[in-house]
Amino acid sequence: MAEQIIFYILAAVIATFSIMAVSTKRIIRSATFLLFVLLSVAGLYLILGYQYLMAVQIAVYAGGIMVLFIFAILLTHKPGESAPSKPIAKRLLIALLSVGGLAFCTHIIVHNVSKVYSYSLGTTGSDIKYIGLTMMGTDKYQYLLAFEAISMLILACIIGGIMVARKRK
Amino acid sequence: MQYTLVILLLPLLSFLLIGLLDSKLKPSLAGNLGTLSLAIIAALSYYCAFDYFTADRVNGVFQPVIMQMEWLRFSDSLHIDLGLLLDPISVMMLVVITTVSLMVHIYSLGYMKGETGFQRYYAFLSLFTFSMLGLVVATNIFQMYIFWELVGVSSYLLIGFYYTKPEAVAASKKAFIVTRFADLFFLIGILILSFYTQTFDFATLTAGNSNILSETAGATFLGASVLTWALALIFIGGAGKSAMFPLHVWLPDAMEGPTPVSALIHAATMVVAGVYLVARLFPVYFFYSPEVLAGIAVVGAFTSLYAAVVACVQTDIKRVLAFSTISQIGFMMVSLGASGFEGHEGLGYMASMFHLFTHAMFKALLFLGAGAIIHAVHSNEMSHMGGLRKYMPITHATFLIACLAIAGIFPLSGFFSKDEILAAVFHFCPILGVVMSFIAGLTAFYMFRLYYNIFWGEEHKHEHQPHEAPKLMTFPLIFLAAVTVVAGFIPFGHFVTADGMLYDIHIDMTVALSSTVVALIGIALATLMYRKPTQIPATLAKSSPGLYKAAMKRFYIDEFYLFVTKRVIFNCISRPLAWFDRHVIDATMDGLATITQQASVKIRGLQSGQLQRYVLVFLIGVLLAAAIAIIVYLA
Amino acid sequence: MYELIINFLEGPVPMEAYLIVSSIMFFAGIYGFIARKNLMMMLISIELMLNAADLNFAVFNRYLYPEQPEGMFFTLFGIAIAACETAVAIAIIINIYRNLQDVDVEELNQLKG
């Protein structure tokens, strides 16, 4: 029951701040709202029993990416400047479309998911040692290849980021 | 006789070499190269003629030599070959063409000196020589047609040699279009003939007693046999090239080309292609459609008379010579038309070929002489000349010889050939003979009118003293004059006759005397009127102004053609067609283009490069797809 | 009333609830991506959408196939890729700003230059 209550609080936070993050005028506020959303999602991971995921979410997103965002915003915006949106008519149309899409998805979720799947809860994946072995293993259901691929991608990103952002001579 | 192939290939080679290198070659080198190759093939031709005519006769006939390879096969019996056919007339033509061409090549070294496009000129000359030689040695009518067109093209190129001159351009177009128009009939004739006889081969066609032709003669169309139609159509092709009335209009205008070209193409070689064509198919004409042959005689006579009358009043010396050429080709045609086949009956055929030979020599001589005169006074008009005999003795002497020859004075070559023609025509139809004799008199008259106007009469004031042409130009004159003097004594009947049998020429004294008398009268009249400036010509012109003006305007044939083409064809056919093309066909295409353009302008808006718009469209698309999925699912 | 609430909160959290939350995040991201002209705002919207997807992986993993942790690992890798993507995107944005003094996406409609 406590789990349920915490979930609904987090859900409400996520819904509210997601919408606020995309609709507020000040971009630095938007980034802050995004931070709230990300932290709440970390909370959801905790409820689901993925402690490791929660840690990663907080460390990488809330820690790394948000710091990047804030620096970038500081670099590209003058203080007090608001980020412009499109004309109101256009925004209404887009909002309508988004709400339509949301309604469609919700309809499918509510009517279909419980029909098709009967689900049971388990707790695998919370063990850090297990996660580490799975990530480094080469057997079936183990992910060394993907891990290495991601590491290559990150290397490429580091080089690419430097190349793109450096000052042109 | 494999070496005869070289005769054909060498000019082609020289054309390709000079034509491709063009201005990379030094003018003198190009000229010498062309002349050298011509000299070689001329020597080869003489050797070939010697070789051919000293070979043994079989049954009293020189055996034709045929070398050919198959080129296109349509069916087992119908195929087109390429090759060489040597028989008396083609060998004779080889000699004529190479001789005149060689003289023109040498002459042009002097005449064209310093002209821009000198190399191009020699390339075209080589091309022409190649195609003309290919035409005469063709083994079948289709090969002949191919070279026939090539000759037309090279004639077009050479008439339009001074392509910066509008008259020359117009003249070359006119020549090409008129002869091409005639060639259309030629082609149709070939198609009909080959369709019914299943062969293109001259040897098969002219075998005389072959079954294919007599079978064909059975099929009729509009009251005449198909063969007659085919032969008449083929003759129209020949008439176009040989400037027979009413397709003669291009020849006088063709004089816009360089004078040596006129000598080579429009006097000696190409224009006799029609005569050669009829002679080539003579047995077919004679045995299967004598009515066409009679028609040829009438057309030839009329053309001859017409051209002779027009020649009497023209003032441009090259035009006079051009009409004289038309008239003389008319003589050849008449002679062919009047000819029989065997023995003495075949006199006309022999005479025609003989006249072709002698005429080529003295007409080339006349043109080259005219070229020398034009070179000296820088004008074509008679009124700008006069009294030139003092300044240009060699030209004067050779021109006089040529004039006497064409007038038919003993013992020059023209006398013999013209005499034979008149004898043949008198034998065929005395009335026609009288007409032809009258034309012979007219010929003498207008030639001497020309002669006196150029060399005698009142001296025109020249900007600078006229002078004799350089040696390069006088040598061909002397050479051709010598040939003109002696050619009459060639026993032509021993070489070229209709049935191939040996035939001795006897001079028919009555015809010879009467024609000489007529010629002398013509000369005397001309002497009287033009030797010294008198009022007689002007008085005559005034006494019958209508006739004079009509003759001056060439009896309005050109105007008639212009009327037909511009007023009738252009207005009634071409304009509506052009309108249809522009407003219906083009408009459809334009409409398509416009629609495409408008559509693309509309579509272009979607490809704005605005990422957000793409995502929006994508979102709408996904939602629509979802909506459709739901509708389908619910249904 | 009280009982109704108690009943509603009884048992585990239903899967639909997670999915609806992630849908809300996702469509908020879509709205932001289309409606905002600022490049930084678009990037924030992308982060929202990515997070929604990550959450879905974890939820499906937990509720449907709890024996195997594939969904969790997918989420893990997704977070790594999101980090990379953000880093590069921010580098590009800073570069654009340096050249144009502006990060308005509607001004950026030329590929070359």
Side-chain angles (χ1 to χ4, degrees):
Chain A
M1 189 152 132
E3 188 189 309
Q4 287 255 29
I5 292 166
I6 294 167
F7 170 79
Y8 285 116
I9 293 168
L10 287 177
V13 168
I14 288 174
T16 316
F17 285 113
S18 304
I19 292 163
M20 283 178 75
V22 295
S23 53
T24 181
K25 277 207 166 62
R26 293 286 174 84
I27 196 157
I28 196 82
R29 283 189 196 167
S30 174
T32 316
F33 295 146
L34 178 65
L35 178 63
F36 293 157
V37 173
L38 295 176
L39 287 174
S40 308
V41 171
L44 287 186
Y45 287 147
L46 193 62
I47 294 175
L48 285 166
Y50 292 124
Q51 292 89 346
Y52 182 67
L53 261 187
M54 181 207 73
V56 170
Q57 174 85 359
I58 291 171
V60 175
Y61 261 119
I65 296 178
M66 283 319 294
V67 170
L68 259 182
F69 264 120
I70 286 164
F71 273 116
I73 290 166
L74 291 179
L75 279 172
T76 57
H77 285 82
K78 298 173 185 80
E81 191 190 55
S82 62
S85 295
K86 299 220 163 164
I88 182 78
K90 217 162 203 175
R91 268 188 299 166
L92 269 179
L93 169 72
I94 298 158
L96 203 70
L97 283 170
S98 302
V99 170
L102 180 62
F104 176 70
C105 288
T106 311
H107 173 84
I108 287 172
I109 289 163
V110 171
H111 281 87
N112 293 354
V113 169
S114 55
K115 267 191 225 163
V116 181
Y117 302 109
S118 56
Y119 47 85
S120 55
L121 277 171
T123 51
T124 2
S126 53
D127 185 4
I128 298 290
K129 185 181 174 191
Y130 171 75
I131 290 170
L133 287 174
T134 310
M135 201 154 13
M136 288 295 152
T138 53
D139 290 340
K140 204 179 177 190
Y141 302 123
Q142 293 184 323
Y143 303 98
L144 184 63
L145 186 65
F147 181 81
E148 290 299 335
I150 294 288
S151 63
M152 287 304 294
L153 180 72
I154 292 173
L155 182 64
C157 279
I158 293 167
I159 296 167
I162 293 167
M163 288 300 290
V164 172
R166 91 201 143 97
K167 269 216 165 79
R168 298 268 157 85
K169 295 275 150 46
Chain B
M1 298 177 97
Q2 295 293 328
Y3 62 85
T4 41
L5 274 174
V6 178
I7 299 180
L8 204 52
L9 294 180
L10 203 58
L12 178 63
L13 199 70
S14 127
F15 162 64
L16 290 177
L17 190 68
I18 303 176
L20 288 178
L21 291 178
D22 197 29
S23 53
K24 303 250 183 336
L25 229 52
K26 259 165 66 181
S28 58
L29 183 60
N32 288 335
L33 212 63
T35 314
L36 184 70
S37 79
L38 231 294
I40 294 168
I41 62 169
L44 278 174
S45 298
Y46 296 153
Y47 181 70
C48 170
F50 178 75
D51 220 12
Y52 185 79
F53 287 121
T54 51
D56 287 332
R57 288 161 179 262
V58 180
N59 298 330
V61 177
F62 288 116
Q63 286 303 296
V65 180
I66 299 175
M67 291 173 267
Q68 64 183 8
M69 57 163 203
E70 195 175 286
W71 180 47
L72 288 176
R73 172 173 282 275
F74 299 122
S75 67
D76 281 341
S77 55
L78 192 64
H79 49 88
I80 298 176
D81 301 328
L82 285 182
L84 274 95
L85 166 66
L86 294 181
D87 72 346
I89 53 171
S90 69
V91 170
M92 179 205 78
M93 286 302 286
L94 283 184
V95 172
V96 171
I97 293 162
T98 51
T99 307
V100 177
S101 188
L102 176 62
M103 288 308 130
V104 165
H105 271 76
I106 296 172
Y107 182 87
S108 301
L109 287 176
Y111 186 84
M112 299 296 287
K113 196 168 192 179
E115 293 273 2
T116 48
F118 188 82
Q119 300 95 327
R120 184 163 54 91
Y121 174 81
Y122 268 91
F124 290 163
L125 274 189
S126 293
L127 174 66
F128 172 77
T129 311
F130 162 69
S131 15
M132 194 65 209
L133 291 170
L135 193 158
V136 297
V137 298
T139 58
N140 58 71
I141 197 161
F142 204 91
Q143 185 190 351
M144 192 177 200
Y145 182 74
I146 294 169
F147 283 102
W148 187 275
E149 293 298 341
L150 266 177
V151 167
V153 169
S154 39
S155 160
Y156 165 80
L157 291 171
L158 281 166
I159 295 171
F161 179 73
Y162 298 117
Y163 57 83
T164 48
K165 246 170 69 181
E167 299 91 14
V169 174
S172 64
K173 279 196 289 194
K174 189 172 180 181
F176 194 72
I177 291 167
V178 173
T179 52
R180 195 64 199 75
F181 177 70
D183 293 347
L184 176 65
F185 295 102
F186 186 18
L187 182 62
I188 296 170
I190 292 174
L191 293 177
I192 295 175
L193 191 67
S194 57
F195 179 76
Y196 281 99
T197 61
Q198 291 292 306
T199 182
F200 290 114
D201 236 18
F202 284 131
T204 326
L205 281 172
T206 56
N209 51 357
S210 55
N211 294 332
I212 38 172
L213 287 170
S214 34
E215 278 169 23
T216 312
T220 56
F221 175 70
L222 286 183
S225 82
V226 170
L227 201 58
T228 305
W229 279 104
L231 290 172
L233 287 169
I234 290 175
F235 171 67
I236 293 177
K241 268 285 186 282
S242 287
M244 287 291 102
F245 187 88
L247 296 169
H248 66 279
V249 288
W250 64 272
L251 187 58
D253 287 15
M255 295 302 134
E256 292 293 343
T259 310
V261 167
S262 309
L264 176 60
I265 301 181
H266 308 116
T269 54
M270 188 188 85
V271 288
V272 297
V275 179
Y276 179 76
L277 175 66
V278 176
R280 175 53 86 207
L281 289 170
F282 185 72
V284 189
Y285 276 104
F286 183 74
F287 288 113
Y288 297 99
S289 55
E291 58 271 43
V292 174
L293 212 51
I296 292 173
V298 172
V299 169
F302 182 75
T303 309
S304 191
L305 179 63
Y306 162 83
V309 171
V310 175
C312 288
V313 296
Q314 295 295 314
T315 56
D316 180 324
I317 61 170
K318 282 183 76 181
R319 296 256 150 123
V320 174
L321 291 176
F323 278 105
S324 151
T325 306
I326 297 175
S327 177
Q328 296 302 309
I329 296 167
F331 265 88
M332 298 172 207
M333 285 290 189
V334 170
S335 175
L336 271 180
S339 176
F341 191 68
E342 271 165 20
H344 186 65
E345 299 289 316
L347 176 65
Y349 179 90
M350 191 279 292
S352 171
M353 290 296 108
F354 194 14
H355 196 57
L356 192 161
F357 180 81
T358 56
H359 172 258
M361 299 302 163
F362 59 66
K363 189 49 71 62
L365 173 54
L366 282 170
F367 266 108
L368 294 183
I373 295 156
I374 293 165
H375 198 64
V377 301
H378 304 289
S379 168
N380 284 8
E381 286 299 314
M382 270 182 200
S383 53
H384 295 171
M385 299 164 191
L388 288 177
R389 67 186 186 284
K390 280 172 277 180
Y391 307 111
M392 310 176 74
I394 301 173
T395 312
H396 171 233
T398 52
F399 204 87
L400 179 59
I401 290 171
C403 283
L404 288 171
I406 196 171
I409 302 298
F410 185 82
L412 299 164
S413 58
F415 167 77
F416 294 93
S417 54
K418 190 170 276 182
D419 183 60
E420 301 300 328
I421 288 178
L422 289 177
V425 175
F426 268 115
H427 183 77
F428 174 70
C429 166
I431 301 167
L432 206 58
V434 172
V435 173
M436 295 317 284
S437 297
F438 172 67
I439 298 167
L442 269 183
T443 309
F445 171 74
Y446 67 70
M447 284 318 295
F448 274 86
R449 168 176 174 267
L450 180 68
Y451 166 74
Y452 284 125
N453 266 320
I454 295 172
F455 293 104
W456 298 71
E458 203 172 352
E459 209 169 308
H460 185 264
K461 267 193 187 148
H462 303 290
E463 281 176 27
H464 54 85
Q465 195 84 336
H467 54 88
E468 186 55 272
K471 284 215 169 51
L472 273 175
M473 286 164 68
T474 50
F475 167 71
L477 295 181
I478 296 166
F479 181 88
L480 286 172
V483 173
T484 305
V485 171
V486 299
F489 297 101
I490 297 172
F492 215 72
H494 289 203
F495 303 128
V496 181
T497 49
D499 55 355
M501 304 298 250
L502 190 124
Y503 171 76
D504 271 315
I505 299 172
H506 355 262
I507 293 170
D508 186 336
M509 282 318 282
T510 44
V511 175
L513 271 178
S514 62
S515 72
T516 309
V517 168
V518 167
L520 284 174
I521 292 171
I523 295 172
L525 270 176
T527 314
L528 197 68
M529 286 164 69
Y530 296 105
R531 175 151 180 239
K532 299 230 170 68
T534 56
Q535 289 306 310
I536 305 170
T539 326
L540 269 179
K542 259 185 207 140
S543 66
S544 54
L547 181 66
Y548 176 78
K549 193 143 180 277
M552 192 69 191
K553 293 275 184 191
R554 310 172 204 164
F555 294 103
Y556 302 105
I557 300 293
D558 282 47
E559 282 76 7
F560 173 71
Y561 276 121
L562 278 183
F563 174 77
V564 168
T565 51
K566 284 216 167 130
R567 291 286 154 77
V568 181
I569 296 179
F570 284 9
N571 278 343
C572 299
I573 299 173
S574 307
R575 287 260 162 75
L577 281 179
W579 183 90
F580 182 79
D581 182 56
R582 219 166 284 139
H583 290 91
V584 179
I585 297 176
D586 279 12
T588 313
M589 292 298 143
D590 287 352
L592 280 179
T594 315
I595 290 169
T596 313
Q597 197 188 13
Q598 305 252 312
S600 59
V601 166
K602 292 279 187 293
I603 292 169
R604 191 175 63 179
L606 291 177
Q607 297 289 328
S608 58
Q610 301 267 1
L611 188 62
Q612 290 177 312
R613 186 168 296 171
Y614 294 172
V615 175
L616 181 62
V617 171
F618 176 70
L619 179 66
I620 293 170
V622 168
L623 287 178
L624 277 179
I628 290 167
I630 285 176
I631 290 164
V632 171
Y633 178 71
L634 289 179
Chain C
M1 179 70 194
Y2 176 74
E3 277 180 9
L4 211 64
I5 295 171
I6 294 296
N7 280 343
F8 181 70
L9 295 175
E10 204 58 44
V13 184
M15 189 171 127
E16 292 92 327
Y18 282 105
L19 294 181
I20 288 168
V21 168
S22 75
S23 292
I24 292 170
M25 271 170 83
F26 186 78
F27 281 99
I30 283 182
Y31 168 81
F33 189 83
I34 304 175
R36 305 305 297 261
K37 294 202 283 187
N38 192 291
L39 275 176
M40 289 305 298
M41 283 306 302
M42 286 170 71
L43 203 54
I44 286 169
S45 309
I46 288 171
E47 293 305 324
L48 275 176
M49 287 190 273
L50 265 169
N51 245 285
D54 287 349
L55 182 59
N56 272 12
F57 280 126
V59 169
F60 282 126
N61 188 194
R62 172 59 68 220
Y63 279 84
L64 300 181
Y65 302 100
E67 310 82 33
Q68 297 292 333
E70 283 109 349
M72 192 202 78
F73 278 102
F74 227 105
T75 307
L76 213 48
F77 294 137
I79 290 169
I81 289 169
C84 294
E85 165 250 307
T86 310
V88 175
I90 284 175
I92 292 171
I93 290 170
I94 289 174
N95 209 359
I96 289 170
Y97 182 78
R98 200 183 282 153
N99 285 321
L100 302 178
Q101 311 302 322
D102 197 2
V103 285
D104 191 332
V105 76
E106 285 183 346
E107 306 296 318
L108 306 174
N109 50 12
Q110 285 172 315
L111 286 176
K112 284 207 297 183

